[in-house]
Amino acid sequence: MTQTFAALQTRSDGERYVTSLVQRQLDDLPEGEVLVRVQWSSLNYKDALSATGNKGVTRQYPHTPGIDAAGEVVSDSSGTFAEGAGVIVTGYDLGMNTAGGYGEYIRVPAAWVTRLPQGMDARTAMLFGTAGLTAGLCVEALLDNGVTPEDGEVLVTGATGGVGSLAVALLAHLGFRVVAGSGKAEAADWLTALGAISRVSREEMLAGAERPMLKPRWAGVVDTVGGEPLANAIKSTVYGGSVACCGLAASTALPLTVLPFILRNVSLLGVDSVEPPLAVKAAIWQRLATDWRLPVLEQILAAEVTLADLPPWFDTILAGGMRGRILVRLS
């Protein structure tokens, strides 16, 4: 087996951070039981933060980003996985402070590795990626809290992003009437093709932000942005409704009173896709491969790129210019 491999590496260059394709040694990889040959990865907001020097995501550089990886096992000293087994690695410390999926190989603890579900290949897994896992966890949270298609409309904020677009498609697939919240008017037809019944603009989502309560409309919400859009969504949720919150692109602040919670019995459900137990992740991946399999998944693909082609996309996703998913092909 070759001892060198291609990887993207972000390093400090004076006052800025640059990312370029380099050759690395297998011996450079961190300790871990499982060596994986990465076949596919994807682009996430957190990857772009890491690749542009955000110390809240990555503390030390040079570094190889990539919080998603799917491929096959080369070796496993724990005995958990056979050589050649298809696997998925997302979350935990991958791509943050542990060399990530933008390299042709990763070495990680066995406790981070999920088997690729039967009927799902590595490319499909990365079309979902952390975004799909997060969307799935949000939808499961709503379902577990009793939200049903018969209860009324559900809102997805940040609907053109990776998590948002997959949440729109998944909720529609499950029979919900989905309203897509997005500031991109040009994406209306695309969102309809994913299953949304209508779109609400950013201005509509922010209307009445100064009021403590708004007219009830949403039976459920998947919020991917935080800030005032999340606050207004909570204020507009019907009695007994639920809001699954997973993002912070708009803001980490939540300008809100307790009134929606104590007067309308609204539930705010926090969703994390980084640290859930492996069994929880595996269950979502299994559903995405079976009863949650999306017939419109390929329509969510914005571009398929190589490692060398990826860096220009970092600024695009940070500026909110992404629509759907970017697949990264490594082999």
Short mmCIF file of all heavy atoms in Angstrom, two decimals, residues 180-230:
data_model
loop_
_atom_site.label_atom_id
_atom_site.label_comp_id
_atom_site.label_asym_id
_atom_site.label_seq_id
_atom_site.Cartn_x
_atom_site.Cartn_y
_atom_site.Cartn_z
N ALA A 180 -41.12 26.32 2.64
CA ALA A 180 -39.68 26.56 2.63
C ALA A 180 -39.39 28.03 2.93
O ALA A 180 -39.86 28.92 2.22
CB ALA A 180 -39.09 26.19 1.27
N GLY A 181 -38.62 28.27 3.98
CA GLY A 181 -38.22 29.62 4.32
C GLY A 181 -36.88 29.93 3.67
O GLY A 181 -35.88 29.28 3.98
N SER A 182 -36.86 30.92 2.76
CA SER A 182 -35.63 31.22 2.04
C SER A 182 -35.67 32.63 1.49
O SER A 182 -36.71 33.09 1.01
CB SER A 182 -35.42 30.23 0.88
OG SER A 182 -34.33 30.63 0.07
N GLY A 183 -34.52 33.30 1.52
CA GLY A 183 -34.42 34.61 0.91
C GLY A 183 -34.12 34.56 -0.57
O GLY A 183 -34.00 35.61 -1.22
N LYS A 184 -34.00 33.37 -1.13
CA LYS A 184 -33.63 33.22 -2.55
C LYS A 184 -34.89 32.97 -3.39
O LYS A 184 -35.32 31.83 -3.57
CB LYS A 184 -32.64 32.07 -2.72
CG LYS A 184 -31.32 32.28 -1.97
CD LYS A 184 -30.37 31.13 -2.24
CE LYS A 184 -29.01 31.36 -1.61
NZ LYS A 184 -29.05 31.28 -0.13
N ALA A 185 -35.46 34.06 -3.92
CA ALA A 185 -36.68 33.93 -4.72
C ALA A 185 -36.44 33.07 -5.95
O ALA A 185 -37.34 32.35 -6.41
CB ALA A 185 -37.18 35.31 -5.13
N GLU A 186 -35.22 33.12 -6.50
CA GLU A 186 -34.92 32.36 -7.71
C GLU A 186 -34.92 30.85 -7.48
O GLU A 186 -34.91 30.07 -8.43
CB GLU A 186 -33.57 32.80 -8.28
CG GLU A 186 -32.36 32.39 -7.45
CD GLU A 186 -32.07 33.29 -6.27
OE1 GLU A 186 -32.88 34.21 -6.01
OE2 GLU A 186 -31.03 33.10 -5.61
N ALA A 187 -34.93 30.44 -6.21
CA ALA A 187 -34.91 29.01 -5.88
C ALA A 187 -36.30 28.43 -5.67
O ALA A 187 -36.43 27.26 -5.33
CB ALA A 187 -34.07 28.77 -4.64
N ALA A 188 -37.35 29.23 -5.89
CA ALA A 188 -38.71 28.78 -5.58
C ALA A 188 -39.09 27.52 -6.35
O ALA A 188 -39.64 26.57 -5.77
CB ALA A 188 -39.71 29.90 -5.88
N ASP A 189 -38.81 27.48 -7.65
CA ASP A 189 -39.17 26.31 -8.44
C ASP A 189 -38.38 25.08 -7.99
O ASP A 189 -38.92 23.97 -7.96
CB ASP A 189 -38.93 26.57 -9.93
CG ASP A 189 -39.91 27.56 -10.52
OD1 ASP A 189 -40.95 27.83 -9.88
OD2 ASP A 189 -39.63 28.08 -11.61
N TRP A 190 -37.11 25.28 -7.67
CA TRP A 190 -36.28 24.17 -7.19
C TRP A 190 -36.83 23.62 -5.88
O TRP A 190 -36.91 22.40 -5.69
CB TRP A 190 -34.85 24.67 -7.02
CG TRP A 190 -33.87 23.66 -6.54
CD1 TRP A 190 -33.36 22.59 -7.22
CD2 TRP A 190 -33.24 23.62 -5.24
NE1 TRP A 190 -32.45 21.90 -6.44
CE2 TRP A 190 -32.36 22.53 -5.22
CE3 TRP A 190 -33.34 24.44 -4.11
CZ2 TRP A 190 -31.60 22.20 -4.11
CZ3 TRP A 190 -32.57 24.13 -3.00
CH2 TRP A 190 -31.72 23.01 -3.00
N LEU A 191 -37.22 24.49 -4.96
CA LEU A 191 -37.78 24.05 -3.69
C LEU A 191 -39.11 23.31 -3.89
O LEU A 191 -39.39 22.33 -3.21
CB LEU A 191 -37.97 25.25 -2.75
CG LEU A 191 -36.67 25.88 -2.24
CD1 LEU A 191 -36.93 27.25 -1.64
CD2 LEU A 191 -36.00 24.96 -1.23
N THR A 192 -39.89 23.78 -4.84
CA THR A 192 -41.14 23.08 -5.17
C THR A 192 -40.84 21.68 -5.69
O THR A 192 -41.52 20.70 -5.34
CB THR A 192 -41.94 23.87 -6.21
OG1 THR A 192 -42.27 25.15 -5.68
CG2 THR A 192 -43.22 23.13 -6.59
N ALA A 193 -39.79 21.55 -6.51
CA ALA A 193 -39.42 20.24 -7.04
C ALA A 193 -38.97 19.30 -5.92
O ALA A 193 -39.12 18.07 -6.04
CB ALA A 193 -38.30 20.38 -8.07
N LEU A 194 -38.44 19.85 -4.85
CA LEU A 194 -38.04 19.03 -3.71
C LEU A 194 -39.22 18.61 -2.85
O LEU A 194 -39.09 17.72 -2.01
CB LEU A 194 -37.02 19.76 -2.84
CG LEU A 194 -35.68 20.12 -3.49
CD1 LEU A 194 -34.75 20.73 -2.44
CD2 LEU A 194 -35.03 18.91 -4.13
N GLY A 195 -40.36 19.29 -3.03
CA GLY A 195 -41.55 18.91 -2.30
C GLY A 195 -42.23 20.01 -1.52
O GLY A 195 -43.29 19.78 -0.92
N ALA A 196 -41.67 21.22 -1.50
CA ALA A 196 -42.30 22.32 -0.77
C ALA A 196 -43.59 22.75 -1.46
O ALA A 196 -43.67 22.78 -2.69
CB ALA A 196 -41.34 23.51 -0.67
N ILE A 197 -44.60 23.11 -0.66
CA ILE A 197 -45.86 23.59 -1.24
C ILE A 197 -45.81 25.08 -1.50
O ILE A 197 -46.58 25.60 -2.31
CB ILE A 197 -47.06 23.25 -0.34
CG1 ILE A 197 -46.93 23.91 1.04
CG2 ILE A 197 -47.22 21.73 -0.20
CD1 ILE A 197 -48.19 23.83 1.88
N SER A 198 -44.90 25.80 -0.81
CA SER A 198 -44.76 27.24 -1.02
C SER A 198 -43.46 27.71 -0.38
O SER A 198 -42.79 26.95 0.33
CB SER A 198 -45.95 28.01 -0.44
OG SER A 198 -46.02 27.82 0.96
N ARG A 199 -43.14 28.97 -0.63
CA ARG A 199 -41.94 29.59 -0.05
C ARG A 199 -42.34 30.84 0.70
O ARG A 199 -43.23 31.59 0.28
CB ARG A 199 -40.94 29.95 -1.15
CG ARG A 199 -39.64 30.58 -0.64
CD ARG A 199 -38.79 31.10 -1.79
NE ARG A 199 -39.34 32.31 -2.39
CZ ARG A 199 -39.01 33.56 -2.02
NH1 ARG A 199 -38.12 33.75 -1.04
NH2 ARG A 199 -39.56 34.59 -2.62
N VAL A 200 -41.70 31.10 1.85
CA VAL A 200 -41.84 32.39 2.52
C VAL A 200 -40.48 33.09 2.46
O VAL A 200 -39.43 32.45 2.60
CB VAL A 200 -42.32 32.26 3.98
CG1 VAL A 200 -43.75 31.77 4.02
CG2 VAL A 200 -41.41 31.36 4.79
N SER A 201 -40.50 34.39 2.23
CA SER A 201 -39.27 35.15 2.08
C SER A 201 -38.63 35.45 3.44
O SER A 201 -39.25 35.28 4.49
CB SER A 201 -39.56 36.46 1.36
OG SER A 201 -40.34 37.31 2.20
N ARG A 202 -37.40 35.92 3.40
CA ARG A 202 -36.72 36.32 4.62
C ARG A 202 -37.50 37.44 5.32
O ARG A 202 -37.63 37.46 6.55
CB ARG A 202 -35.30 36.78 4.30
CG ARG A 202 -34.48 37.15 5.52
CD ARG A 202 -33.07 37.56 5.16
NE ARG A 202 -32.27 36.44 4.65
CZ ARG A 202 -31.88 36.32 3.41
NH1 ARG A 202 -32.22 37.24 2.51
NH2 ARG A 202 -31.15 35.29 3.02
N GLU A 203 -38.03 38.38 4.52
CA GLU A 203 -38.79 39.48 5.10
C GLU A 203 -40.04 38.98 5.81
O GLU A 203 -40.38 39.46 6.91
CB GLU A 203 -39.18 40.48 4.01
CG GLU A 203 -38.01 41.25 3.40
CD GLU A 203 -37.13 40.40 2.49
OE1 GLU A 203 -37.64 39.36 1.97
OE2 GLU A 203 -35.96 40.76 2.30
N GLU A 204 -40.70 38.01 5.22
CA GLU A 204 -41.89 37.43 5.86
C GLU A 204 -41.53 36.71 7.15
O GLU A 204 -42.26 36.78 8.14
CB GLU A 204 -42.59 36.47 4.90
CG GLU A 204 -43.26 37.15 3.72
CD GLU A 204 -43.81 36.13 2.73
OE1 GLU A 204 -43.02 35.54 1.97
OE2 GLU A 204 -45.04 35.93 2.74
N MET A 205 -40.39 36.01 7.13
CA MET A 205 -39.98 35.28 8.33
C MET A 205 -39.62 36.23 9.47
O MET A 205 -39.75 35.86 10.64
CB MET A 205 -38.79 34.37 8.02
CG MET A 205 -39.15 33.13 7.23
SD MET A 205 -37.76 31.97 7.11
CE MET A 205 -36.70 32.84 5.94
N LEU A 206 -39.18 37.46 9.14
CA LEU A 206 -38.74 38.40 10.16
C LEU A 206 -39.82 39.40 10.55
O LEU A 206 -39.63 40.17 11.50
CB LEU A 206 -37.50 39.16 9.68
CG LEU A 206 -36.25 38.31 9.45
CD1 LEU A 206 -35.11 39.18 8.92
CD2 LEU A 206 -35.83 37.59 10.72
N ALA A 207 -40.96 39.39 9.87
CA ALA A 207 -42.03 40.35 10.15
C ALA A 207 -42.55 40.16 11.58
O ALA A 207 -42.78 39.04 12.02
CB ALA A 207 -43.16 40.20 9.15
N GLY A 208 -42.73 41.25 12.30
CA GLY A 208 -43.26 41.19 13.65
C GLY A 208 -42.26 40.78 14.70
O GLY A 208 -42.64 40.38 15.80
N ALA A 209 -40.97 40.92 14.39
CA ALA A 209 -39.93 40.48 15.33
C ALA A 209 -40.01 41.20 16.66
O ALA A 209 -39.55 40.67 17.69
CB ALA A 209 -38.55 40.66 14.70
N GLU A 210 -40.60 42.41 16.67
CA GLU A 210 -40.68 43.18 17.92
C GLU A 210 -41.78 42.68 18.84
O GLU A 210 -41.85 43.07 20.02
CB GLU A 210 -40.89 44.66 17.59
CG GLU A 210 -42.27 45.02 17.07
CD GLU A 210 -42.52 44.63 15.60
OE1 GLU A 210 -41.56 44.14 14.95
OE2 GLU A 210 -43.66 44.80 15.12
N ARG A 211 -42.66 41.81 18.34
CA ARG A 211 -43.81 41.34 19.13
C ARG A 211 -43.45 40.05 19.88
O ARG A 211 -42.72 39.22 19.37
CB ARG A 211 -45.01 41.12 18.22
CG ARG A 211 -45.49 42.39 17.52
CD ARG A 211 -46.48 42.09 16.42
NE ARG A 211 -47.62 41.30 16.90
CZ ARG A 211 -48.54 40.75 16.13
NH1 ARG A 211 -48.46 40.91 14.80
NH2 ARG A 211 -49.53 40.06 16.65
N PRO A 212 -44.02 39.88 21.08
CA PRO A 212 -43.71 38.68 21.86
C PRO A 212 -44.38 37.41 21.34
O PRO A 212 -43.90 36.30 21.59
CB PRO A 212 -44.19 39.01 23.26
CG PRO A 212 -45.27 40.03 23.05
CD PRO A 212 -44.84 40.83 21.85
N MET A 213 -45.50 37.56 20.62
CA MET A 213 -46.23 36.42 20.06
C MET A 213 -46.72 36.80 18.67
O MET A 213 -47.00 37.97 18.39
CB MET A 213 -47.42 36.05 20.94
CG MET A 213 -47.06 35.58 22.33
SD MET A 213 -46.60 33.85 22.40
CE MET A 213 -48.24 33.10 22.47
N LEU A 214 -46.86 35.80 17.80
CA LEU A 214 -47.37 36.01 16.46
C LEU A 214 -48.51 35.03 16.19
O LEU A 214 -48.69 34.05 16.92
CB LEU A 214 -46.25 35.82 15.43
CG LEU A 214 -45.11 36.85 15.50
CD1 LEU A 214 -43.93 36.40 14.63
CD2 LEU A 214 -45.59 38.23 15.10
N LYS A 215 -49.25 35.27 15.12
CA LYS A 215 -50.36 34.41 14.77
C LYS A 215 -49.88 32.97 14.59
O LYS A 215 -48.90 32.72 13.88
CB LYS A 215 -51.01 34.89 13.48
CG LYS A 215 -52.22 34.09 13.04
CD LYS A 215 -52.82 34.66 11.76
CE LYS A 215 -54.01 33.83 11.31
NZ LYS A 215 -54.61 34.38 10.05
N PRO A 216 -50.53 32.00 15.23
CA PRO A 216 -50.06 30.61 15.13
C PRO A 216 -50.27 30.04 13.73
O PRO A 216 -51.33 30.20 13.13
CB PRO A 216 -50.91 29.87 16.16
CG PRO A 216 -52.14 30.70 16.31
CD PRO A 216 -51.71 32.12 16.11
N ARG A 217 -49.21 29.39 13.21
CA ARG A 217 -49.30 28.80 11.87
C ARG A 217 -48.61 27.45 11.79
O ARG A 217 -49.14 26.53 11.16
CB ARG A 217 -48.68 29.74 10.84
CG ARG A 217 -48.71 29.18 9.43
CD ARG A 217 -48.20 30.17 8.40
NE ARG A 217 -48.22 29.58 7.07
CZ ARG A 217 -47.82 30.22 5.97
NH1 ARG A 217 -47.38 31.48 6.05
NH2 ARG A 217 -47.85 29.61 4.78
N TRP A 218 -47.44 27.28 12.38
CA TRP A 218 -46.62 26.10 12.12
C TRP A 218 -46.89 24.99 13.13
O TRP A 218 -46.79 25.19 14.34
CB TRP A 218 -45.13 26.46 12.16
CG TRP A 218 -44.77 27.70 11.42
CD1 TRP A 218 -44.21 28.83 11.91
CD2 TRP A 218 -44.95 27.93 10.01
NE1 TRP A 218 -44.03 29.75 10.93
CE2 TRP A 218 -44.47 29.23 9.75
CE3 TRP A 218 -45.45 27.17 8.96
CZ2 TRP A 218 -44.49 29.80 8.48
CZ3 TRP A 218 -45.48 27.73 7.70
CH2 TRP A 218 -45.00 29.01 7.46
N ALA A 219 -47.22 23.80 12.62
CA ALA A 219 -47.33 22.62 13.49
C ALA A 219 -45.96 22.14 13.92
O ALA A 219 -45.79 21.58 15.01
CB ALA A 219 -48.07 21.50 12.76
N GLY A 220 -44.97 22.37 13.07
CA GLY A 220 -43.60 21.99 13.38
C GLY A 220 -42.65 22.85 12.59
O GLY A 220 -43.03 23.44 11.56
N VAL A 221 -41.42 22.94 13.06
CA VAL A 221 -40.40 23.74 12.40
C VAL A 221 -39.07 23.00 12.46
O VAL A 221 -38.73 22.42 13.50
CB VAL A 221 -40.22 25.12 13.08
CG1 VAL A 221 -39.10 25.92 12.41
CG2 VAL A 221 -41.53 25.91 13.09
N VAL A 222 -38.34 23.02 11.35
CA VAL A 222 -36.92 22.67 11.36
C VAL A 222 -36.17 23.95 11.09
O VAL A 222 -36.28 24.52 10.00
CB VAL A 222 -36.58 21.60 10.30
CG1 VAL A 222 -35.05 21.42 10.21
CG2 VAL A 222 -37.25 20.28 10.63
N ASP A 223 -35.45 24.44 12.10
CA ASP A 223 -34.70 25.69 11.95
C ASP A 223 -33.22 25.40 11.81
O ASP A 223 -32.62 24.74 12.66
CB ASP A 223 -34.91 26.60 13.16
CG ASP A 223 -34.03 27.83 13.07
OD1 ASP A 223 -34.35 28.71 12.26
OD2 ASP A 223 -32.99 27.87 13.75
N THR A 224 -32.62 25.93 10.74
CA THR A 224 -31.20 25.71 10.48
C THR A 224 -30.36 26.96 10.64
O THR A 224 -29.16 26.92 10.38
CB THR A 224 -31.00 25.17 9.04
OG1 THR A 224 -31.22 26.23 8.10
CG2 THR A 224 -31.95 24.02 8.74
N VAL A 225 -30.97 28.09 11.06
CA VAL A 225 -30.24 29.36 11.04
C VAL A 225 -30.13 30.06 12.38
O VAL A 225 -29.23 30.87 12.59
CB VAL A 225 -30.85 30.32 10.00
CG1 VAL A 225 -30.73 29.75 8.60
CG2 VAL A 225 -32.29 30.65 10.32
N GLY A 226 -31.04 29.82 13.32
CA GLY A 226 -30.99 30.50 14.60
C GLY A 226 -31.44 31.94 14.51
O GLY A 226 -32.03 32.39 13.52
N GLY A 227 -31.14 32.72 15.57
CA GLY A 227 -31.42 34.14 15.58
C GLY A 227 -32.90 34.49 15.45
O GLY A 227 -33.78 33.76 15.91
N GLU A 228 -33.19 35.66 14.83
CA GLU A 228 -34.57 36.14 14.72
C GLU A 228 -35.48 35.21 13.91
O GLU A 228 -36.65 35.07 14.24
CB GLU A 228 -34.60 37.56 14.15
CG GLU A 228 -34.14 38.61 15.15
CD GLU A 228 -34.40 40.02 14.68
OE1 GLU A 228 -34.73 40.21 13.49
OE2 GLU A 228 -34.27 40.93 15.51
N PRO A 229 -34.98 34.56 12.83
CA PRO A 229 -35.87 33.62 12.14
C PRO A 229 -36.35 32.50 13.05
O PRO A 229 -37.53 32.11 13.00
CB PRO A 229 -35.00 33.08 11.00
CG PRO A 229 -34.01 34.16 10.75
CD PRO A 229 -33.71 34.75 12.09
N LEU A 230 -35.48 31.99 13.90
CA LEU A 230 -35.89 30.96 14.86
C LEU A 230 -36.87 31.54 15.87
O LEU A 230 -37.90 30.91 16.18
CB LEU A 230 -34.66 30.39 15.57
CG LEU A 230 -34.94 29.46 16.76
CD1 LEU A 230 -35.79 28.27 16.36
CD2 LEU A 230 -33.63 29.01 17.40
#
